[in-house]
Amino acid sequence: MIPEIGHFALTLALCVAMVQAIFPMVGAQRGDLALMNLSRPASVALFLTIAVAFAALTHSFIVSDFSVSNVYLNSHTDKPLLYKITGVWGNHEGSLLLWILILAVFGLAVTLFGRNLPPGLRSRALSVQAMIVVGFLLFILFTSNPFERIDPAPLNGRGLNPLLQDPGLAFHPPMLYLGYVGFSMAFSFAIAALIEGRVDAAWARWVRPWTLLAWIFLTLGIALGSWWAYYELGWGGWWYWDPVENASFIPWLSGTALLHSAIVVEKRDTLKSWTILLAIVTFSLSLLGTFLVRSGVITSVHAFATDPTRGVFILALLAITVVGSFSLYAWRAPQMKSGGVFAPVSREGALLLNNVLLSTAAATVLLGTLYPLFADALELGKVSVGPPFFNAVFVPLMIPMLIVMALAPMLAWKRGDALGAAKRLWLALVAAAGVFAATYILAGGSFVHVGAAFGMGLGAWLLIGTLIEWAERVHLFRAAPGVSLKRATGLPRSAYGMTLAHAGTAILVMGVVGNTAWKSESIQVMKPGDTLDMAGHVYRFEGAERVEGPNYDAIRGHLTLMDGEGRVVARMDPEKRSYNTRTMDTTEAAIHTTFLHDHYAVIGDPSPEQGPGAFVTRFYYEPFVPLLWYGALMMGLGGVVSLSDRRHRIGAPARKPALASTMVAGGGTGTGSGPATEGAAR
């Protein structure tokens, strides 16, 4: 009965979404406040109906209702409760329902927290959001029904993919989806602005919090996925330019560009058309990622291989969204005139350069990801595009971007002094040169380490440059301590957020460079008592035993990690698991971290021909890899601090009445609650 309630709730949600998509939009065009206000109760009703459907599917998984096909294919009575719940989104149908639920959550959030939005803009944005929901509800109801029944019901299920039975994967998909879907809100505001024919500083202030929120979730979601791949897959790596990894990274790049472009619109009333374009492109790339993961055109440990019908439906939805939004953009964008003029050397110019570099990087990664698919479709032969290509084209784009990241905050708006900004960063330049020299010498002075030394120096440049920019703001060492403290406490939280995010980027860069350059690995067969020297440490294999888990059998190895003087550093117990419900093995790596370097051990298959108790073992020395997680967390924390800024809480500045004549007939006329002077605040 409960699955039928869930299915009925989805059908009812489709009707509600259609009402929300049509009537508020008509009301905005006619200036009918009653129809415009219909968007608010409709968004609440839409959320409630979809939440009921999601709760019904979750209940079916918890109680192991194997009469539901989705539960039978992705659950088992032996699974721990956590993985019964995560099984809800560990499959195509459930993950799609989660996607739709998050769409409704963002619409509800705009209703609850967007009371200061002009009625016309709010109703149009919620209407566009509902149109997206309609498309995905049609998709799930006609091609991916999560409540499809089996008669007679099996006695037990097939179980969840063992690779997904991990705490990291319990939280990674929801986090990633909150980022993916969060950009739909920026898209909806962009389309609403195009229809209204108006983009200004107030619009940018309204759209920035939603863009920033999506960026935070996507940043942390990608980092969580990378961490999961690092410790769960047992290959000692954290990124492989996998197509599904790229599917989330591409909208992150364009979303980062969008976030910085919106700042320019808010501060200087320019780059309006470019910001609207980025909002459309970023959400379109999120939809493209959905197509890649669910169409079956790619193979990945992350992908949901599905039948072609689903892929065609998503492709049609993507085409309608892209063609429709770009057609509207081509029609309305030329009417948007930028009010601010700026010199190439200015903060606007630096932000625009970084926008171009980020957008080019996104386009390059997109091309490398899709080219093998195009080549295969055009019968040009099987083509593989892997890490060598992406590293060769992506890294050169990031070098100038990282250099400009330290310079941009030191430049003035409208017209900056590049030489003056460089002089104020002399300490960062000295630090970068010192780190380069020290790294090069400690690495042995070999030519092959020049690139790695340069990368570490570049990270130091950005880190010290970011700290110098903060010190300049508070007049550190240039004023009395009390004055500096007062200025520090008076800085807006967005300034601290930028400092944290940029410093986190610098730390992440140093982690990437250091791990890539000095990582070492060893694969061998070991018998009990055998030892191996690597990276100044000794691994001693103590043997292995068979153990039983809640729903798996495993071989658990026992290793002792010692330093160069024979002192025990850690006991390490890697496992190789074989799950009962699916004929699939997984690797559970043992990792000992010093919080700057990791020692990483994996146990493989037995090798009886080498002697009794012999096993294949793999060891990795992972220098600087923890810096990746520290940097990503700092970036996410920087976003959270910035999001808590008072300006985001009080709303946008009031729109000037004199600009009302530029609105399209029927547009909203409401004003924000914040003072007009807030728009000029840093």
Side-chain angles (χ1 to χ4, degrees), residues 564-654:
E565 298 180 0
R567 290 173 298 199
V568 174
V569 174
R571 307 285 183 183
M572 305 178 72
D573 302 312
E575 292 183 4
K576 182 174 183 180
R577 295 179 179 177
S578 179
Y579 283 79
N580 304 328
T581 56
R582 293 201 182 189
T583 56
M584 184 175 183
D585 295 338
T586 66
T587 300
E588 299 294 321
I591 302 173
H592 172 70
T593 182
T594 66
F595 301 102
L596 187 60
H597 313 290
D598 283 356
H599 296 276
Y600 187 109
V602 175
I603 189 166
D605 296 322
S607 186
E609 65 275 7
Q610 300 293 326
F615 280 84
V616 175
T617 58
R618 284 181 288 143
F619 303 130
Y620 299 89
Y621 174 62
E622 304 277 1
F624 302 109
V625 77
L627 297 185
L628 297 170
W629 324 131
Y630 304 154
L633 286 174
M634 284 182 65
M635 292 168 68
L637 179 60
V640 172
V641 171
S642 183
L643 190 63
S644 68
D645 193 291
R646 175 175 175 269
R647 292 172 298 166
H648 295 319
R649 297 199 305 273
I650 66 172

Side-chain angles (χ1 to χ4, degrees), residues 226 228-241 245 519 521 587 589 600 602 618 620 622:
S226 181
W228 167 80
Y230 172 69
Y231 75 80
E232 174 66 21
L233 299 183
W235 61 299
W238 43 269
W239 191 263
Y240 194 67
W241 295 104
E245 291 175 335
K519 174 180 177 177
E521 63 180 283
T587 300
Y600 187 109
V602 175
R618 284 181 288 143
Y620 299 89
E622 304 277 1

